[in-house]
Amino acid sequence: MLRVGAHTSIAGGVHNAVDEQLEYEGNCGQIFSHSPQVWQDPNLDPDNAAQFRDSSAEADVGPWVIHSSYLVNLCTPKDDLRQKSIDSMQAELDAADQLDIGYVNVHLGAHTGAGVEGGLDNAASALDELDVPDGVTILVESDAGSGTKLGGEFEHLAGVRKRTDQDIEFCLDTAHAFAAGYDLSTPEAVDDTLAEFDDVVGLEDLACVHLNDSKHDCGTNKDEHAHVGEGLIGDDGMRAFVNHDAIRDVPLVLETPTEDGRGFAWNVERVKELREDE
């Protein structure tokens, strides 16, 4: 069964995310537990949390993912930022446990001078500080790779897994991977990129895909998302990706823009049109 949905808002209470997802005709999704632009702990009302759990189960919407704050930087060499990042991640993991959400998604962040190896060491040691609840898994997301940010190379994902004692899995963002230099614009390119991911990281540990087209070309390191099939990955690449045997059972979460009169509902429908057995 195709699992496709969108990043949805928790405005007015986390339970509202389920209704919003159903409006998009999605059946899985992602949320922020609070504003991602500030250091803030989730403040989940127990009744709303219970309603979220019940509504998700009743409507068969899932899996859900909590996306961590944009301020989290696991790779940082700065002690204060490291501790804030650890504390923020722990709060997200506890929120996921409260909501029966199975995944918390995080970017590795930027090493800001510590170097690739130092940054990966920092990220792994930060992950090792976390108390991960049973039933919750940390997903490390691929990145577009600009500046000193890590995660743009599949080797970075494999490197942090090798260093950490946590049982982490991964989220592949198609726009990020494309921007980082992994071509996805043709069926052959999709085959090659997913084969490389499998060789370096392992497709068995790919738990989620952020399905986004890209407004910028392959290898530019520019992270700007486009509607599915409307960017430089394009229809051929997106069709090949969503029909690829390697990801057919992986949930697809959209982070596409709202512009040109189109939003998440349009993109969910577009994915369903591209999927050949739906």
Side-chain angles (χ1 to χ4, degrees), residues 154 193-204:
F154 293 161
T193 290
L194 289 176
E196 184 169 355
F197 185 93
D198 191 29
D199 183 57
V200 175
V201 182
L203 285 163
E204 68 275 8

Side-chain angles (χ1 to χ4, degrees), residues 4 9 13 24 40 45 60-61 63-64 84 113 122 139 160 176 179 202 225:
V4 58
S9 171
Y24 301 145
Q40 178 183 341
D45 177 82
D60 189 25
V61 177
W64 286 95
K84 285 182 178 179
N122 292 341
L139 303 184
V160 74
H176 293 174
H225 299 175

Side-chain angles (χ1 to χ4, degrees), residues 21-94:
Q21 194 65 248
L22 293 173
E23 288 176 8
Y24 301 145
E25 298 191 11
N27 57 7
C28 67
Q30 179 176 269
I31 60 170
F32 291 122
S33 69
H34 59 86
S35 170
Q37 306 286 0
V38 297
W39 293 114
Q40 178 183 341
D41 286 343
N43 183 20
L44 300 174
D45 177 82
D47 291 339
N48 287 345
Q51 190 172 347
F52 173 90
R53 296 191 301 267
D54 293 344
S55 296
S56 293
E58 182 179 353
D60 189 25
V61 177
W64 286 95
V65 180
I66 291 179
H67 195 298
S68 65
S69 168
Y70 292 142
L71 301 180
V72 168
N73 186 348
L74 300 178
C75 294
T76 182
K78 300 176 182 178
D79 290 342
D80 58 341
L81 180 54
R82 168 190 169 86
Q83 191 58 53
K84 285 182 178 179
S85 298
I86 291 171
D87 292 345
S88 180
M89 279 295 293
Q90 187 63 58
E92 302 288 19
L93 292 166
D94 294 341

Side-chain angles (χ1 to χ4, degrees), residues 50-262:
Q51 190 172 347
F52 173 90
R53 296 191 301 267
D54 293 344
S55 296
S56 293
E58 182 179 353
D60 189 25
V61 177
W64 286 95
V65 180
I66 291 179
H67 195 298
S68 65
S69 168
Y70 292 142
L71 301 180
V72 168
N73 186 348
L74 300 178
C75 294
T76 182
K78 300 176 182 178
D79 290 342
D80 58 341
L81 180 54
R82 168 190 169 86
Q83 191 58 53
K84 285 182 178 179
S85 298
I86 291 171
D87 292 345
S88 180
M89 279 295 293
Q90 187 63 58
E92 302 288 19
L93 292 166
D94 294 341
D97 188 37
Q98 183 181 359
L99 294 168
D100 283 348
I101 288 178
Y103 300 110
V104 173
N105 183 80
V106 65
H107 296 267
L108 287 175
H111 67 70
T112 63
V116 172
E117 297 302 313
L120 293 176
D121 288 343
N122 292 341
S125 64
L127 290 170
D128 287 344
E129 293 286 327
L130 299 171
D131 181 12
V132 182
D134 291 341
V136 180
T137 299
I138 296 170
L139 303 184
V140 175
E141 181 180 344
S142 65
D143 201 272
S146 60
T148 65
K149 289 181 179 179
L150 299 184
E153 297 179 22
F154 293 161
E155 286 79 7
H156 297 165
L157 307 182
V160 74
R161 179 180 57 192
K162 181 178 179 180
R163 289 166 168 82
T164 183
D165 293 329
Q166 300 285 8
D167 187 16
I168 62 172
E169 296 182 3
F170 301 96
C171 173
L172 178 67
D173 186 304
T174 52
H176 293 174
F178 188 70
Y182 296 98
D183 194 6
L184 291 166
S185 61
T186 67
E188 295 78 15
V190 170
D191 283 341
D192 290 345
T193 290
L194 289 176
E196 184 169 355
F197 185 93
D198 191 29
D199 183 57
V200 175
V201 182
L203 285 163
E204 68 275 8
D205 290 328
L206 179 61
C208 179
V209 165
H210 284 169
L211 190 71
N212 303 300
D213 212 322
S214 174
K215 291 186 177 181
H216 301 282
D217 211 346
C218 185
T220 59
N221 303 121
K222 293 181 179 180
D223 177 15
E224 191 174 5
H225 299 175
H227 295 303
V228 170
E230 299 286 303
L232 291 171
I233 295 176
D235 263 358
D236 288 347
M238 281 290 172
R239 180 178 290 105
F241 188 90
V242 301
N243 287 291
H244 200 283
D245 288 343
I247 59 89
R248 291 186 70 81
D249 296 326
V250 179
L252 309 174
V253 175
L254 299 163
E255 300 173 323
T256 45
T258 298
E259 59 187 17
D260 305 323
R262 292 171 289 183

